[in-house]
Amino acid sequence: MISFEKSIAAYKEAVKLMPGGVNSPVRAYKNVDMTPIFIERGKNQNLYDIDGNAYIDYVLSWGPLILGHADDEVIKALKDTIDKGTSFGAPTLLENKIAELVQKFVPSMEMMRMVSSGTEATMSAVRLARGYTKRDKIVKFIGCYHGHSDSLLVDAGSGLATFDINTSPGVPKNVALETLTVPYNDEAAITDLFKRHGDEIAGVIVEPVAGNMGFVPAKKSFLQTLRDLTTKYGSVLIFDEVMSGFRCDMRGAQHLYDIKPDLTTLGKVIGGGLPVGTFGGKREIMKNITPDGKVYHAGTLSGNPLAMMAGIKTLEQLNQETYDQMSAKLDRLCTALQAAADKNGVTFTIRHRGTMWGYFFNKGPVENFADVQKSDKDYFTRFFQYVIQRGIYLAPSPYETSFISTKHTDADIDKTIEVFSDAFANVEK
Ligand SMILES: *Cc1c(COP(=O)(O)O)cnc(C)c1O
């Protein structure tokens, strides 16, 4: 059994300074009856906490670190860049370079704007959809999370699902009323909604591979229905690929499903561990952004040179071969874990796409938030406590996705299979 003594002491100080002792709620271990583990450093696939414990990390800063922690090339480039200054508030060549790189992966982004978080990217994309269509209503899907701007905090996933909050207090009622929600993967519900409100709908925002209610890929026919309806009614289709971008497929869900959205939002991997988000898409829509148009968007640190460099050096190292290797590792992992659960009589559903994976403690298929909520939360808590004490670092919530990096080895996969198998055999059902 490992000790968390120093983390527990640090947490006692932190709760006096920050709500929940953390700067983002999903980091709190409230949900798993523990206190957060304070991290000292990370290298490649491993995390090390302040008590000296080592972990195989499947959270990877909640997705961004596709090359693992402190990748040598990223760190070297950051050191060279920082010597030239940290921010100029004026254009740099790095911004052209990352935009060109992004277009290679996501050609539907004919123009784009860099921002400093996924939240800013989705908030700006929603404003743009409203400004472009001159309509107010936005459609989102129950259990999808699109950051913490007012319009998008209705029936959302991630921390809101973890802590059982429908709409955050503080979101004005009139703002919440402009956000219409329907179940994920439900073609009949969205078709019906468009029949009733189609002419008022500015845009539909969706995680084309949902990762914030646990891992729930969309059905192709569902995404095709969204494409057809938004085209028919003149609404903007926004794929929020902040998580799925560079993850479920090197070229994002829009390539995986072969469906082109009007606007795309990216974040996480594109910043290589620094604060970055992007929104972009059709030129005809993007040219409504200030100063070309009147839909306002700005940011003091947007396009920050350090953030751009971390993104460039991350994207430059991605190729089909590394994706195929990561995907093959996850294939082996998921197959073995399902078999181990079956053998031990644990009800378990596990899936992966590209470099994302996720599991539920209920019988599949898991296709929407109602299915997700049937996962056994108490078992998850006992299971989580068991595996974290044996060096497997997972998200402390049943509503999150797990990831893999280029640095995870076959030996890591073996160790993970061993620990999960022991958990299935030994954790009280
Ligand atoms: C993480 C996430 C966001 C928010 O990004 P932040 O950088 O945390 O603001 C938005 N959309 C999706 C799909 C995400 O996974």
Side-chain angles (χ1 to χ4, degrees):
M1 213 56 48
I2 64 175
S3 163
F4 297 117
E5 200 180 323
K6 287 186 180 157
S7 278
I8 291 168
Y11 177 69
K12 281 196 184 128
E13 295 307 310
V15 284
K16 295 181 210 156
L17 302 164
M18 291 161 269
V22 288
N23 280 311
S24 190
V26 290
R27 295 176 200 170
Y29 276 44
K30 265 206 165 96
N31 190 53
V32 288
D33 296 333
M34 287 176 65
T35 54
I37 294 166
F38 282 63
I39 302 301
E40 175 155 287
R41 67 191 174 89
K43 185 65 191 173
N44 296 332
Q45 74 276 41
N46 296 124
L47 267 182
Y48 302 89
D49 72 16
I50 60 173
D51 283 286
N53 304 308
Y55 306 90
I56 302 171
D57 183 10
Y58 291 105
V59 180
L60 297 166
S61 193
W62 303 87
L65 304 177
I66 200 162
L67 305 175
H69 296 271
D71 172 76
D72 290 340
E73 278 190 42
V74 173
I75 296 298
K76 182 180 176 307
L78 282 175
K79 284 180 175 164
D80 293 345
T81 306
I82 205 166
D83 283 341
K84 298 178 188 164
T86 53
S87 179
F88 311 115
T92 63
L93 294 175
L94 296 176
E95 288 156 86
N96 293 6
K97 186 159 179 184
I98 198 165
E100 283 164 9
L101 255 175
V102 169
Q103 276 179 345
K104 280 201 188 128
F105 290 98
V106 191
S108 72
M109 296 175 79
E110 295 166 12
M111 297 182 97
M112 70 194 81
R113 266 282 167 87
M114 291 289 157
V115 293
S116 300
S117 69
T119 293
E120 275 182 83
T122 54
M123 177 186 77
S124 307
V126 163
R127 182 179 304 131
L128 176 57
R130 285 173 162 156
Y132 171 70
T133 58
K134 304 189 173 62
R135 299 173 182 174
D136 287 341
K137 293 208 188 303
I138 291 291
V139 178
K140 74 173 286 293
F141 297 91
I142 300 166
C144 283
Y145 177 71
H146 306 290
H148 62 99
S149 72
D150 282 354
S151 294
L152 298 171
L153 281 182
V154 182
D155 289 333
S158 189
L160 289 96
T162 305
F163 301 114
D164 200 16
I165 302 162
N166 283 333
T167 299
S168 168
V171 174
K173 213 184 288 154
N174 289 336
V175 172
L177 281 175
E178 301 294 355
T179 303
L180 308 173
T181 64
V182 270
Y184 196 69
N185 271 328
D186 190 333
E187 291 157 45
I190 186 69
T191 303
D192 181 57
L193 184 76
F194 262 91
K195 257 185 208 141
R196 286 182 287 125
H197 293 287
D199 297 335
E200 302 162 76
I201 294 171
V204 173
I205 185 165
V206 64
E207 287 182 71
V209 169
N212 287 289
M213 52 172 138
F215 178 66
V216 184
K219 290 186 271 188
K220 168 138 185 169
S221 57
F222 170 68
L223 294 179
Q224 189 60 53
T225 300
L226 301 186
R227 182 63 282 180
D228 294 345
L229 286 168
T230 46
T231 303
K232 179 172 168 197
Y233 286 90
S235 310
V236 176
L237 180 60
I238 307 168
F239 274 8
D240 179 2
E241 298 225 46
V242 169
M243 187 188 284
S244 62
F246 312 103
R247 272 281 177 202
C248 69
D249 181 285
M250 188 168 69
R251 298 177 178 82
Q254 49 199 276
H255 182 262
L256 185 65
Y257 290 87
D258 192 22
I259 293 176
K260 207 162 126 181
D262 301 310
L263 294 178
T264 299
T265 55
L266 296 171
K268 299 197 167 110
V269 169
I270 202 185
L274 270 77
V276 183
T278 313
F279 67 101
K282 278 189 182 154
R283 190 176 303 277
E284 181 203 334
I285 303 178
M286 286 302 290
K287 68 180 197 227
N288 290 281
I289 292 285
T290 46
D292 286 356
K294 293 201 167 152
V295 178
Y296 198 70
H297 167 259
T300 301
L301 293 176
S302 290
N304 173 270
L306 290 170
M308 296 299 99
M309 185 53 99
I312 290 166
K313 286 296 156 191
T314 298
L315 300 189
E316 278 180 351
Q317 293 185 63
L318 301 181
N319 59 59
Q320 199 55 53
E321 197 185 333
T322 54
Y323 273 81
D324 292 344
Q325 285 165 0
M326 286 187 276
S327 188
K329 287 196 178 97
L330 282 186
D331 211 23
R332 185 162 80 84
L333 178 70
C334 293
T335 306
L337 297 186
Q338 185 68 59
D342 293 347
K343 189 175 138 209
N344 287 286
V346 175
T347 313
F348 188 68
T349 305
I350 187 163
R351 272 179 300 189
H352 75 95
R353 285 273 195 296
T355 66
M356 302 167 77
W357 59 288
Y359 52 89
F360 300 102
F361 294 106
N362 57 322
K363 211 165 131 31
V366 178
E367 296 185 336
N368 57 39
F369 192 56
D371 295 341
V372 166
Q373 282 179 307
K374 291 179 196 138
S375 184
D376 186 338
K377 287 184 209 63
D378 296 330
Y379 183 85
F380 173 80
T381 296
R382 294 190 293 275
F383 166 83
F384 177 87
Q385 292 179 351
Y386 186 97
V387 300
I388 192 113
Q389 295 187 52
R390 287 158 184 83
I392 307 294
Y393 192 86
L394 301 169
S397 162
Y399 300 116
E400 300 289 350
T401 291
S402 303
F403 303 97
I404 190 172
S405 76
T406 54
K407 304 297 195 307
H408 285 73
T409 63
D410 284 322
D412 294 322
I413 301 297
D414 290 337
K415 164 96 193 275
T416 308
I417 294 170
E418 186 189 311
V419 172
F420 269 62
S421 302
D422 288 348
F424 294 148
N426 295 311
V427 171
E428 184 203 331
K429 301 210 172 55

